[in-house]
Amino acid sequence: MNRSRKSSRKRMPAIRSGEFIDYKNISLLRRFISEQGKIPSRRMNRLTSKQQHLLAIAIKRARVLAPLPLPNNEN
């Protein structure tokens, strides 16, 4: 029986130490938004819960202030 083992390689952090989560940092926010404009889950983003919370707030602020375009809802 093959048991799945956890990978021993160390993953790169999704957010580097010099980067700050801010609504003005559009290049950072775009990395964490799907093509449909959705915010993926914390596990998919490989973020801590605190980072995910701050990221969601920053994305929502950027949508309101319009530096980050809203997804098109064309059916």
Side-chain angles (χ1 to χ4, degrees), residues 35-66:
E35 292 179 7
Q36 295 85 20
K38 296 181 179 180
I39 305 170
S41 68
R42 176 177 85 77
R43 292 175 65 193
M44 290 181 69
N45 283 338
R46 297 189 334 250
L47 298 173
T48 64
S49 59
K50 184 175 182 178
Q51 289 173 332
Q52 179 73 12
H53 180 72
L54 293 173
L55 182 76
I57 291 172
I59 290 172
K60 291 173 186 177
R61 282 185 183 157
R63 285 179 182 159
V64 169
L65 297 174

PDB file of all heavy atoms in Angstrom, residues 35-66:
ATOM      1  N   GLU A  35      -9.146  34.573 -12.919  1.00  0.00           N
ATOM      2  CA  GLU A  35      -9.537  35.215 -14.168  1.00  0.00           C
ATOM      3  C   GLU A  35     -10.963  35.744 -14.107  1.00  0.00           C
ATOM      4  O   GLU A  35     -11.302  36.716 -14.779  1.00  0.00           O
ATOM      5  CB  GLU A  35      -9.403  34.246 -15.330  1.00  0.00           C
ATOM      6  CG  GLU A  35      -7.975  33.890 -15.649  1.00  0.00           C
ATOM      7  CD  GLU A  35      -7.878  32.899 -16.787  1.00  0.00           C
ATOM      8  OE1 GLU A  35      -8.915  32.594 -17.408  1.00  0.00           O
ATOM      9  OE2 GLU A  35      -6.756  32.444 -17.053  1.00  0.00           O
ATOM     10  N   GLN A  36     -11.799  35.122 -13.284  1.00  0.00           N
ATOM     11  CA  GLN A  36     -13.183  35.576 -13.133  1.00  0.00           C
ATOM     12  C   GLN A  36     -13.294  36.735 -12.151  1.00  0.00           C
ATOM     13  O   GLN A  36     -14.384  37.256 -11.933  1.00  0.00           O
ATOM     14  CB  GLN A  36     -14.089  34.432 -12.649  1.00  0.00           C
ATOM     15  CG  GLN A  36     -14.242  33.296 -13.631  1.00  0.00           C
ATOM     16  CD  GLN A  36     -13.116  32.288 -13.523  1.00  0.00           C
ATOM     17  OE1 GLN A  36     -12.432  32.219 -12.502  1.00  0.00           O
ATOM     18  NE2 GLN A  36     -12.903  31.529 -14.576  1.00  0.00           N
ATOM     19  N   GLY A  37     -12.196  37.117 -11.532  1.00  0.00           N
ATOM     20  CA  GLY A  37     -12.211  38.214 -10.576  1.00  0.00           C
ATOM     21  C   GLY A  37     -12.493  37.775  -9.154  1.00  0.00           C
ATOM     22  O   GLY A  37     -12.732  38.604  -8.286  1.00  0.00           O
ATOM     23  N   LYS A  38     -12.464  36.486  -8.910  1.00  0.00           N
ATOM     24  CA  LYS A  38     -12.753  35.977  -7.569  1.00  0.00           C
ATOM     25  C   LYS A  38     -11.475  35.884  -6.737  1.00  0.00           C
ATOM     26  O   LYS A  38     -10.382  35.776  -7.267  1.00  0.00           O
ATOM     27  CB  LYS A  38     -13.383  34.594  -7.661  1.00  0.00           C
ATOM     28  CG  LYS A  38     -14.726  34.586  -8.346  1.00  0.00           C
ATOM     29  CD  LYS A  38     -15.292  33.193  -8.366  1.00  0.00           C
ATOM     30  CE  LYS A  38     -16.656  33.172  -9.025  1.00  0.00           C
ATOM     31  NZ  LYS A  38     -17.212  31.829  -9.044  1.00  0.00           N
ATOM     32  N   ILE A  39     -11.664  35.902  -5.439  1.00  0.00           N
ATOM     33  CA  ILE A  39     -10.555  35.740  -4.508  1.00  0.00           C
ATOM     34  C   ILE A  39     -10.493  34.269  -4.125  1.00  0.00           C
ATOM     35  O   ILE A  39     -11.395  33.772  -3.455  1.00  0.00           O
ATOM     36  CB  ILE A  39     -10.752  36.608  -3.253  1.00  0.00           C
ATOM     37  CG1 ILE A  39     -10.968  38.071  -3.625  1.00  0.00           C
ATOM     38  CG2 ILE A  39      -9.560  36.473  -2.316  1.00  0.00           C
ATOM     39  CD1 ILE A  39     -11.398  38.932  -2.469  1.00  0.00           C
ATOM     40  N   PRO A  40      -9.466  33.529  -4.545  1.00  0.00           N
ATOM     41  CA  PRO A  40      -9.386  32.103  -4.189  1.00  0.00           C
ATOM     42  C   PRO A  40      -9.196  31.902  -2.690  1.00  0.00           C
ATOM     43  O   PRO A  40      -8.862  32.827  -1.953  1.00  0.00           O
ATOM     44  CB  PRO A  40      -8.155  31.609  -4.950  1.00  0.00           C
ATOM     45  CG  PRO A  40      -7.922  32.618  -6.003  1.00  0.00           C
ATOM     46  CD  PRO A  40      -8.421  33.915  -5.465  1.00  0.00           C
ATOM     47  N   SER A  41      -9.381  30.674  -2.265  1.00  0.00           N
ATOM     48  CA  SER A  41      -9.295  30.356  -0.841  1.00  0.00           C
ATOM     49  C   SER A  41      -7.862  30.488  -0.328  1.00  0.00           C
ATOM     50  O   SER A  41      -6.903  30.552  -1.093  1.00  0.00           O
ATOM     51  CB  SER A  41      -9.793  28.935  -0.592  1.00  0.00           C
ATOM     52  OG  SER A  41      -8.894  28.013  -1.170  1.00  0.00           O
ATOM     53  N   ARG A  42      -7.748  30.503   0.954  1.00  0.00           N
ATOM     54  CA  ARG A  42      -6.458  30.644   1.621  1.00  0.00           C
ATOM     55  C   ARG A  42      -5.514  29.492   1.282  1.00  0.00           C
ATOM     56  O   ARG A  42      -4.317  29.678   1.110  1.00  0.00           O
ATOM     57  CB  ARG A  42      -6.724  30.707   3.127  1.00  0.00           C
ATOM     58  CG  ARG A  42      -5.522  30.767   3.993  1.00  0.00           C
ATOM     59  CD  ARG A  42      -5.925  30.892   5.437  1.00  0.00           C
ATOM     60  NE  ARG A  42      -6.194  29.630   6.071  1.00  0.00           N
ATOM     61  CZ  ARG A  42      -5.254  28.774   6.480  1.00  0.00           C
ATOM     62  NH1 ARG A  42      -3.997  29.084   6.313  1.00  0.00           N
ATOM     63  NH2 ARG A  42      -5.572  27.651   7.063  1.00  0.00           N
ATOM     64  N   ARG A  43      -6.067  28.300   1.159  1.00  0.00           N
ATOM     65  CA  ARG A  43      -5.236  27.138   0.853  1.00  0.00           C
ATOM     66  C   ARG A  43      -4.691  27.191  -0.564  1.00  0.00           C
ATOM     67  O   ARG A  43      -3.566  26.765  -0.821  1.00  0.00           O
ATOM     68  CB  ARG A  43      -6.040  25.861   1.065  1.00  0.00           C
ATOM     69  CG  ARG A  43      -6.365  25.638   2.534  1.00  0.00           C
ATOM     70  CD  ARG A  43      -7.257  24.456   2.728  1.00  0.00           C
ATOM     71  NE  ARG A  43      -6.601  23.225   2.342  1.00  0.00           N
ATOM     72  CZ  ARG A  43      -7.213  22.071   2.176  1.00  0.00           C
ATOM     73  NH1 ARG A  43      -8.513  22.001   2.370  1.00  0.00           N
ATOM     74  NH2 ARG A  43      -6.552  20.996   1.828  1.00  0.00           N
ATOM     75  N   MET A  44      -5.477  27.712  -1.473  1.00  0.00           N
ATOM     76  CA  MET A  44      -5.009  27.832  -2.858  1.00  0.00           C
ATOM     77  C   MET A  44      -3.965  28.938  -2.991  1.00  0.00           C
ATOM     78  O   MET A  44      -3.031  28.833  -3.788  1.00  0.00           O
ATOM     79  CB  MET A  44      -6.184  28.101  -3.786  1.00  0.00           C
ATOM     80  CG  MET A  44      -7.105  26.919  -3.938  1.00  0.00           C
ATOM     81  SD  MET A  44      -8.462  27.248  -5.037  1.00  0.00           S
ATOM     82  CE  MET A  44      -7.604  27.344  -6.596  1.00  0.00           C
ATOM     83  N   ASN A  45      -4.124  30.001  -2.210  1.00  0.00           N
ATOM     84  CA  ASN A  45      -3.184  31.115  -2.251  1.00  0.00           C
ATOM     85  C   ASN A  45      -1.917  30.866  -1.446  1.00  0.00           C
ATOM     86  O   ASN A  45      -0.955  31.604  -1.580  1.00  0.00           O
ATOM     87  CB  ASN A  45      -3.843  32.386  -1.691  1.00  0.00           C
ATOM     88  CG  ASN A  45      -4.772  33.015  -2.673  1.00  0.00           C
ATOM     89  OD1 ASN A  45      -4.673  32.805  -3.869  1.00  0.00           O
ATOM     90  ND2 ASN A  45      -5.688  33.807  -2.175  1.00  0.00           N
ATOM     91  N   ARG A  46      -1.936  29.842  -0.570  1.00  0.00           N
ATOM     92  CA  ARG A  46      -0.822  29.539   0.327  1.00  0.00           C
ATOM     93  C   ARG A  46      -0.509  30.729   1.229  1.00  0.00           C
ATOM     94  O   ARG A  46       0.625  31.154   1.373  1.00  0.00           O
ATOM     95  CB  ARG A  46       0.424  29.123  -0.452  1.00  0.00           C
ATOM     96  CG  ARG A  46       0.270  27.867  -1.238  1.00  0.00           C
ATOM     97  CD  ARG A  46       1.563  27.363  -1.813  1.00  0.00           C
ATOM     98  NE  ARG A  46       2.574  28.374  -2.054  1.00  0.00           N
ATOM     99  CZ  ARG A  46       2.970  28.778  -3.247  1.00  0.00           C
ATOM    100  NH1 ARG A  46       2.430  28.303  -4.321  1.00  0.00           N
ATOM    101  NH2 ARG A  46       3.923  29.664  -3.379  1.00  0.00           N
ATOM    102  N   LEU A  47      -1.553  31.289   1.846  1.00  0.00           N
ATOM    103  CA  LEU A  47      -1.402  32.408   2.762  1.00  0.00           C
ATOM    104  C   LEU A  47      -1.829  32.005   4.156  1.00  0.00           C
ATOM    105  O   LEU A  47      -2.565  31.037   4.332  1.00  0.00           O
ATOM    106  CB  LEU A  47      -2.282  33.583   2.310  1.00  0.00           C
ATOM    107  CG  LEU A  47      -1.977  34.192   0.953  1.00  0.00           C
ATOM    108  CD1 LEU A  47      -3.035  35.206   0.596  1.00  0.00           C
ATOM    109  CD2 LEU A  47      -0.610  34.823   0.949  1.00  0.00           C
ATOM    110  N   THR A  48      -1.372  32.759   5.130  1.00  0.00           N
ATOM    111  CA  THR A  48      -1.875  32.551   6.483  1.00  0.00           C
ATOM    112  C   THR A  48      -3.257  33.189   6.567  1.00  0.00           C
ATOM    113  O   THR A  48      -3.647  33.982   5.699  1.00  0.00           O
ATOM    114  CB  THR A  48      -0.945  33.202   7.519  1.00  0.00           C
ATOM    115  OG1 THR A  48      -0.933  34.616   7.318  1.00  0.00           O
ATOM    116  CG2 THR A  48       0.472  32.657   7.418  1.00  0.00           C
ATOM    117  N   SER A  49      -3.992  32.894   7.611  1.00  0.00           N
ATOM    118  CA  SER A  49      -5.335  33.458   7.733  1.00  0.00           C
ATOM    119  C   SER A  49      -5.287  34.976   7.892  1.00  0.00           C
ATOM    120  O   SER A  49      -6.144  35.694   7.369  1.00  0.00           O
ATOM    121  CB  SER A  49      -6.082  32.820   8.897  1.00  0.00           C
ATOM    122  OG  SER A  49      -5.397  33.030  10.091  1.00  0.00           O
ATOM    123  N   LYS A  50      -4.284  35.475   8.576  1.00  0.00           N
ATOM    124  CA  LYS A  50      -4.134  36.929   8.742  1.00  0.00           C
ATOM    125  C   LYS A  50      -3.840  37.581   7.387  1.00  0.00           C
ATOM    126  O   LYS A  50      -4.420  38.623   7.061  1.00  0.00           O
ATOM    127  CB  LYS A  50      -3.014  37.227   9.728  1.00  0.00           C
ATOM    128  CG  LYS A  50      -2.833  38.692  10.038  1.00  0.00           C
ATOM    129  CD  LYS A  50      -1.781  38.893  11.106  1.00  0.00           C
ATOM    130  CE  LYS A  50      -1.642  40.364  11.440  1.00  0.00           C
ATOM    131  NZ  LYS A  50      -0.649  40.571  12.506  1.00  0.00           N
ATOM    132  N   GLN A  51      -2.946  36.980   6.601  1.00  0.00           N
ATOM    133  CA  GLN A  51      -2.637  37.521   5.279  1.00  0.00           C
ATOM    134  C   GLN A  51      -3.847  37.472   4.360  1.00  0.00           C
ATOM    135  O   GLN A  51      -4.095  38.413   3.610  1.00  0.00           O
ATOM    136  CB  GLN A  51      -1.484  36.735   4.651  1.00  0.00           C
ATOM    137  CG  GLN A  51      -0.144  36.977   5.284  1.00  0.00           C
ATOM    138  CD  GLN A  51       0.916  36.059   4.730  1.00  0.00           C
ATOM    139  OE1 GLN A  51       0.619  34.946   4.281  1.00  0.00           O
ATOM    140  NE2 GLN A  51       2.158  36.497   4.759  1.00  0.00           N
ATOM    141  N   GLN A  52      -4.607  36.382   4.422  1.00  0.00           N
ATOM    142  CA  GLN A  52      -5.786  36.244   3.576  1.00  0.00           C
ATOM    143  C   GLN A  52      -6.823  37.313   3.930  1.00  0.00           C
ATOM    144  O   GLN A  52      -7.452  37.891   3.049  1.00  0.00           O
ATOM    145  CB  GLN A  52      -6.387  34.850   3.720  1.00  0.00           C
ATOM    146  CG  GLN A  52      -7.629  34.615   2.907  1.00  0.00           C
ATOM    147  CD  GLN A  52      -7.359  34.467   1.419  1.00  0.00           C
ATOM    148  OE1 GLN A  52      -6.220  34.320   0.993  1.00  0.00           O
ATOM    149  NE2 GLN A  52      -8.398  34.485   0.626  1.00  0.00           N
ATOM    150  N   HIS A  53      -6.985  37.572   5.211  1.00  0.00           N
ATOM    151  CA  HIS A  53      -7.938  38.587   5.655  1.00  0.00           C
ATOM    152  C   HIS A  53      -7.525  39.970   5.150  1.00  0.00           C
ATOM    153  O   HIS A  53      -8.343  40.727   4.613  1.00  0.00           O
ATOM    154  CB  HIS A  53      -8.023  38.572   7.183  1.00  0.00           C
ATOM    155  CG  HIS A  53      -8.969  39.566   7.755  1.00  0.00           C
ATOM    156  ND1 HIS A  53     -10.338  39.425   7.653  1.00  0.00           N
ATOM    157  CD2 HIS A  53      -8.752  40.727   8.415  1.00  0.00           C
ATOM    158  CE1 HIS A  53     -10.916  40.456   8.228  1.00  0.00           C
ATOM    159  NE2 HIS A  53      -9.974  41.261   8.699  1.00  0.00           N
ATOM    160  N   LEU A  54      -6.249  40.303   5.307  1.00  0.00           N
ATOM    161  CA  LEU A  54      -5.758  41.599   4.839  1.00  0.00           C
ATOM    162  C   LEU A  54      -5.835  41.713   3.321  1.00  0.00           C
ATOM    163  O   LEU A  54      -6.151  42.776   2.780  1.00  0.00           O
ATOM    164  CB  LEU A  54      -4.318  41.811   5.307  1.00  0.00           C
ATOM    165  CG  LEU A  54      -4.106  41.967   6.813  1.00  0.00           C
ATOM    166  CD1 LEU A  54      -2.623  41.993   7.141  1.00  0.00           C
ATOM    167  CD2 LEU A  54      -4.802  43.210   7.312  1.00  0.00           C
ATOM    168  N   LEU A  55      -5.575  40.610   2.635  1.00  0.00           N
ATOM    169  CA  LEU A  55      -5.636  40.600   1.177  1.00  0.00           C
ATOM    170  C   LEU A  55      -7.062  40.811   0.685  1.00  0.00           C
ATOM    171  O   LEU A  55      -7.299  41.603  -0.237  1.00  0.00           O
ATOM    172  CB  LEU A  55      -5.094  39.269   0.649  1.00  0.00           C
ATOM    173  CG  LEU A  55      -5.051  39.132  -0.862  1.00  0.00           C
ATOM    174  CD1 LEU A  55      -3.881  39.930  -1.408  1.00  0.00           C
ATOM    175  CD2 LEU A  55      -4.942  37.696  -1.256  1.00  0.00           C
ATOM    176  N   ALA A  56      -8.024  40.165   1.317  1.00  0.00           N
ATOM    177  CA  ALA A  56      -9.424  40.316   0.911  1.00  0.00           C
ATOM    178  C   ALA A  56      -9.893  41.757   1.114  1.00  0.00           C
ATOM    179  O   ALA A  56     -10.575  42.322   0.250  1.00  0.00           O
ATOM    180  CB  ALA A  56     -10.306  39.358   1.704  1.00  0.00           C
ATOM    181  N   ILE A  57      -9.502  42.364   2.208  1.00  0.00           N
ATOM    182  CA  ILE A  57      -9.873  43.757   2.461  1.00  0.00           C
ATOM    183  C   ILE A  57      -9.240  44.666   1.416  1.00  0.00           C
ATOM    184  O   ILE A  57      -9.886  45.570   0.881  1.00  0.00           O
ATOM    185  CB  ILE A  57      -9.472  44.168   3.890  1.00  0.00           C
ATOM    186  CG1 ILE A  57     -10.339  43.443   4.911  1.00  0.00           C
ATOM    187  CG2 ILE A  57      -9.569  45.680   4.077  1.00  0.00           C
ATOM    188  CD1 ILE A  57      -9.896  43.631   6.336  1.00  0.00           C
ATOM    189  N   ALA A  58      -7.955  44.441   1.096  1.00  0.00           N
ATOM    190  CA  ALA A  58      -7.265  45.279   0.118  1.00  0.00           C
ATOM    191  C   ALA A  58      -7.885  45.141  -1.269  1.00  0.00           C
ATOM    192  O   ALA A  58      -8.041  46.138  -1.989  1.00  0.00           O
ATOM    193  CB  ALA A  58      -5.784  44.906   0.075  1.00  0.00           C
ATOM    194  N   ILE A  59      -8.266  43.922  -1.662  1.00  0.00           N
ATOM    195  CA  ILE A  59      -8.886  43.713  -2.966  1.00  0.00           C
ATOM    196  C   ILE A  59     -10.234  44.408  -3.035  1.00  0.00           C
ATOM    197  O   ILE A  59     -10.570  45.062  -4.039  1.00  0.00           O
ATOM    198  CB  ILE A  59      -9.015  42.204  -3.270  1.00  0.00           C
ATOM    199  CG1 ILE A  59      -7.639  41.600  -3.523  1.00  0.00           C
ATOM    200  CG2 ILE A  59      -9.934  41.960  -4.458  1.00  0.00           C
ATOM    201  CD1 ILE A  59      -7.626  40.103  -3.636  1.00  0.00           C
ATOM    202  N   LYS A  60     -11.019  44.315  -1.973  1.00  0.00           N
ATOM    203  CA  LYS A  60     -12.333  44.974  -1.952  1.00  0.00           C
ATOM    204  C   LYS A  60     -12.191  46.497  -1.997  1.00  0.00           C
ATOM    205  O   LYS A  60     -12.954  47.174  -2.679  1.00  0.00           O
ATOM    206  CB  LYS A  60     -13.117  44.530  -0.723  1.00  0.00           C
ATOM    207  CG  LYS A  60     -13.534  43.070  -0.817  1.00  0.00           C
ATOM    208  CD  LYS A  60     -14.156  42.583   0.465  1.00  0.00           C
ATOM    209  CE  LYS A  60     -14.430  41.092   0.381  1.00  0.00           C
ATOM    210  NZ  LYS A  60     -14.968  40.545   1.630  1.00  0.00           N
ATOM    211  N   ARG A  61     -11.197  47.033  -1.305  1.00  0.00           N
ATOM    212  CA  ARG A  61     -10.967  48.482  -1.361  1.00  0.00           C
ATOM    213  C   ARG A  61     -10.530  48.914  -2.756  1.00  0.00           C
ATOM    214  O   ARG A  61     -10.949  49.960  -3.250  1.00  0.00           O
ATOM    215  CB  ARG A  61      -9.892  48.884  -0.356  1.00  0.00           C
ATOM    216  CG  ARG A  61     -10.388  48.949   1.041  1.00  0.00           C
ATOM    217  CD  ARG A  61      -9.324  49.455   1.981  1.00  0.00           C
ATOM    218  NE  ARG A  61      -9.835  49.438   3.337  1.00  0.00           N
ATOM    219  CZ  ARG A  61      -9.066  49.400   4.410  1.00  0.00           C
ATOM    220  NH1 ARG A  61      -7.763  49.401   4.304  1.00  0.00           N
ATOM    221  NH2 ARG A  61      -9.608  49.376   5.610  1.00  0.00           N
ATOM    222  N   ALA A  62      -9.676  48.111  -3.382  1.00  0.00           N
ATOM    223  CA  ALA A  62      -9.204  48.448  -4.719  1.00  0.00           C
ATOM    224  C   ALA A  62     -10.347  48.396  -5.729  1.00  0.00           C
ATOM    225  O   ALA A  62     -10.383  49.192  -6.674  1.00  0.00           O
ATOM    226  CB  ALA A  62      -8.089  47.489  -5.138  1.00  0.00           C
ATOM    227  N   ARG A  63     -11.295  47.493  -5.531  1.00  0.00           N
ATOM    228  CA  ARG A  63     -12.451  47.431  -6.430  1.00  0.00           C
ATOM    229  C   ARG A  63     -13.322  48.674  -6.284  1.00  0.00           C
ATOM    230  O   ARG A  63     -13.813  49.209  -7.268  1.00  0.00           O
ATOM    231  CB  ARG A  63     -13.285  46.193  -6.135  1.00  0.00           C
ATOM    232  CG  ARG A  63     -12.674  44.915  -6.642  1.00  0.00           C
ATOM    233  CD  ARG A  63     -13.549  43.754  -6.275  1.00  0.00           C
ATOM    234  NE  ARG A  63     -12.974  42.493  -6.712  1.00  0.00           N
ATOM    235  CZ  ARG A  63     -13.305  41.322  -6.192  1.00  0.00           C
ATOM    236  NH1 ARG A  63     -14.188  41.247  -5.211  1.00  0.00           N
ATOM    237  NH2 ARG A  63     -12.754  40.219  -6.646  1.00  0.00           N
ATOM    238  N   VAL A  64     -13.510  49.136  -5.055  1.00  0.00           N
ATOM    239  CA  VAL A  64     -14.349  50.309  -4.814  1.00  0.00           C
ATOM    240  C   VAL A  64     -13.692  51.565  -5.385  1.00  0.00           C
ATOM    241  O   VAL A  64     -14.338  52.390  -6.014  1.00  0.00           O
ATOM    242  CB  VAL A  64     -14.627  50.473  -3.304  1.00  0.00           C
ATOM    243  CG1 VAL A  64     -15.263  51.815  -3.004  1.00  0.00           C
ATOM    244  CG2 VAL A  64     -15.498  49.340  -2.815  1.00  0.00           C
ATOM    245  N   LEU A  65     -12.401  51.702  -5.178  1.00  0.00           N
ATOM    246  CA  LEU A  65     -11.690  52.895  -5.635  1.00  0.00           C
ATOM    247  C   LEU A  65     -11.263  52.801  -7.099  1.00  0.00           C
ATOM    248  O   LEU A  65     -10.702  53.743  -7.628  1.00  0.00           O
ATOM    249  CB  LEU A  65     -10.472  53.148  -4.751  1.00  0.00           C
ATOM    250  CG  LEU A  65     -10.826  53.435  -3.291  1.00  0.00           C
ATOM    251  CD1 LEU A  65      -9.574  53.522  -2.452  1.00  0.00           C
ATOM    252  CD2 LEU A  65     -11.627  54.706  -3.195  1.00  0.00           C
ATOM    253  N   ALA A  66     -11.501  51.666  -7.719  1.00  0.00           N
ATOM    254  CA  ALA A  66     -11.323  51.409  -9.152  1.00  0.00           C
ATOM    255  C   ALA A  66      -9.906  51.344  -9.701  1.00  0.00           C
ATOM    256  O   ALA A  66      -9.747  51.428 -10.897  1.00  0.00           O
ATOM    257  CB  ALA A  66     -12.144  52.390  -9.966  1.00  0.00           C
TER     258      ALA A  66
END
